[in-house]
């Protein structure tokens, strides 16, 4: 394939692009690939998770604008393009029983209707590859699950001239992946490497909860080598100051350990319209030079 390679990453909130697949995107940008992040919501109902910023009245009153500025900074760091799909954050319901979701939020939209702006963006940007979340959302946030649903609809519909005829000329993406960077194999490897070096691991309780949950293992099909871009990933993540504590658990594993023990980001190939052999080390496997 001689035409320009293009990758689209569909995410629920600003900051998701920096915590899931950011090093992969930075790697592809460095190779000349066009990368576009589609952000479904503005993160308006996200909590301020950085304890250093909690209680700041300006941030609390202007969280939408603050998170948009954080997204701008992260976008510049990663070198990607970014578009908002314009939906309203659903928030993460807590309690037993769970409270109802807010009226008008993303997760309560009709899936077929909510897929239209994503179809429009796919047809405009023309990605060969799309990444998003699995059917569980990666974790069961209602916006992550909804992001999965609209991406599945849009992947199939974007190439069909009968679907969404007002949303631009048809374009069929060739591959769809689920982000699986938070997988058990990686977590165990890093946990054991830290203990072997006499270091504290942030993953002990996490692994216990994982085992107790009975959550089935996902199939990892694609391991993208991107260790050279881990620093860029972390810099982009820290740009989301309201969501990330730079002294928190995200950054407790020394960079040299990460690069040595687990130098890849992982994906699950969900759909492919091209021939490829598994495992892969490239999201564009089967597309390049075809």
């Amino acid at each position: 394939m001689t035409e320009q390679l293009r990758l689209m990453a569909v995410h629920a909130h600003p900051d998701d692009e920096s915590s899931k697949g950011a090093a992969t995107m930075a790697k592809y940008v460095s190779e000349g690939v066009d990368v576009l992040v589609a952000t479904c919501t503005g993160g308006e109902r996200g909590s301020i998770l950085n304890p250093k910023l909690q209680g700041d009245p300006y941030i609390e009153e202007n969280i939408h604008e603050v998170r948009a500025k954080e997204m701008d900074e992260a976008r510049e760091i990663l070198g990607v393009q970014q578009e908002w799909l314009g939906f309203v954050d659903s928030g993460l319901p807590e309690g037993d029983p769970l409270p109802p979701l807010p009226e008008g939020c993303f997760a309560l939209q009709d899936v077929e209707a909510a897929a239209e702006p994503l179809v429009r963006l796919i047809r405009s940007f023309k990605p060969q590859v799309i990444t998003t979340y699995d059917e569980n959302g990666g974790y069961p946030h209602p916006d992550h699950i909804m992001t999965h649903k609209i991406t599945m609809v849009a992947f199939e519909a974007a190439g069909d001239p009968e679907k969404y005829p007002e949303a631009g000329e048809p374009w069929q993406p060739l591959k769809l992946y689920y982000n699986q960077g938070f997988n058990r194999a990686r977590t165990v490897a890093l946990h054991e490497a830290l203990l072997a070096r006499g270091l504290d691991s942030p993953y002990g309780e996490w692994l216990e909860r994982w085992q107790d949950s009975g959550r089935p293992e996902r199939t990892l099909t694609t391991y993208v080598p991107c260790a050279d871009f881990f620093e860029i990933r972390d810099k982009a993540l820290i740009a989301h100051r309201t969501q990330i504590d730079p002294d928190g658990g995200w950054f407790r594993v020394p960079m040299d350990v990460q690069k040595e023990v687990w130098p890849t980001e992982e994906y699950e190939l969900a759909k492919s319209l091209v021939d490829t052999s598994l495992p892969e080390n490239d999201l564009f496997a089967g597309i390049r030079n075809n």
Side-chain angles (χ1 to χ4, degrees):
M1 172 171 281
T2 57
E3 71 172 292
Q4 176 67 29
L5 296 177
R6 291 176 296 275
L7 170 66
M8 176 184 285
V10 187
H11 287 288
H13 313 103
D15 83 81
D16 287 325
E17 84 296 327
S18 295
S19 62
K20 304 166 189 68
T24 297
M25 293 192 294
K27 164 193 164 70
Y28 283 122
V29 168
S30 77
E31 297 174 356
V33 176
D34 285 343
V35 181
L36 173 65
V37 172
T39 310
C40 293
T41 81
E44 301 90 343
R45 291 192 169 95
S47 301
I48 300 172
L49 301 178
N50 184 345
K52 300 176 183 66
L53 299 180
Q54 289 170 353
D56 184 312
Y58 176 82
I59 293 176
E60 290 176 351
E61 293 170 14
N62 300 278
I63 187 65
H64 191 185
E65 292 80 1
V66 169
R67 294 196 72 179
K69 289 179 181 177
E70 292 174 346
M71 182 70 245
D72 285 343
E73 185 174 339
R75 171 179 53 76
E76 290 286 343
I77 291 166
L78 295 172
V80 300
Q81 303 171 58
Q82 188 260 343
E83 296 285 348
W84 304 96
L85 294 191
F87 296 103
V88 176
D89 189 352
S90 306
L92 182 59
E94 296 178 306
D96 186 13
L98 291 174
L101 292 173
E103 183 178 351
C105 72
F106 178 42
L108 293 181
Q109 302 302 306
D110 175 80
V111 173
E112 296 288 329
E116 192 274 343
L118 183 55
V119 170
R120 187 178 297 275
L121 192 58
I122 291 170
R123 289 176 175 175
S124 171
F125 181 65
K126 298 180 170 57
Q128 294 93 355
V129 176
I130 296 177
T131 66
T132 193
Y133 316 132
D134 63 32
E135 65 277 8
N136 301 310
Y139 79 107
H141 189 299
D143 285 339
H144 285 239
I145 293 170
M146 187 64 167
T147 298
H148 163 81
K149 290 178 179 178
I150 70 164
T151 307
M152 301 306 289
V153 170
F155 183 89
E156 298 293 340
D160 186 345
E162 301 296 318
K163 300 286 183 65
Y164 305 96
E166 303 300 317
E169 291 296 315
W171 172 265
Q172 180 58 59
L174 299 176
K175 298 174 86 175
L176 174 68
Y177 288 92
Y178 299 150
N179 299 293
Q180 297 295 356
F182 299 117
N183 59 78
R184 193 173 188 279
R186 172 185 180 272
T187 307
V188 168
L190 291 173
H191 176 70
E192 293 179 347
L194 290 168
L195 297 182
R197 289 163 171 78
L199 301 172
D200 290 334
S201 168
Y203 299 125
E205 291 185 8
W206 191 354
L207 288 169
E208 288 180 14
R209 290 197 302 271
W210 208 321
Q211 185 170 346
D212 293 343
S213 73
R215 192 169 78 180
E217 295 294 317
R218 303 294 305 198
T219 301
L220 304 179
T221 63
T222 310
Y223 299 74
V224 178
C226 52
D228 290 345
F229 300 90
F230 284 178
E231 287 92 350
I232 293 176
R233 171 203 66 194
D234 286 1
K235 188 177 179 183
L237 193 53
I238 290 171
H240 292 283
R241 294 171 187 84
T242 60
Q243 305 302 300
I244 299 296
D245 180 358
D247 300 318
W250 282 98
F251 309 105
R252 287 187 187 147
V253 182
M255 186 59 71
D256 62 327
V257 175
Q258 294 184 50
K259 290 184 174 184
E260 177 187 342
V261 174
W262 205 269
T264 60
E265 289 182 336
E266 292 73 54
Y267 298 84
E268 177 182 352
L269 180 60
K271 290 180 178 291
S272 181
L273 304 182
V274 296
D275 292 331
T276 186
S277 58
L278 303 180
E280 304 170 319
N281 62 8
D282 179 12
L283 299 181
F284 292 93
I287 297 174
R288 295 183 195 264
N289 302 319
N290 280 1

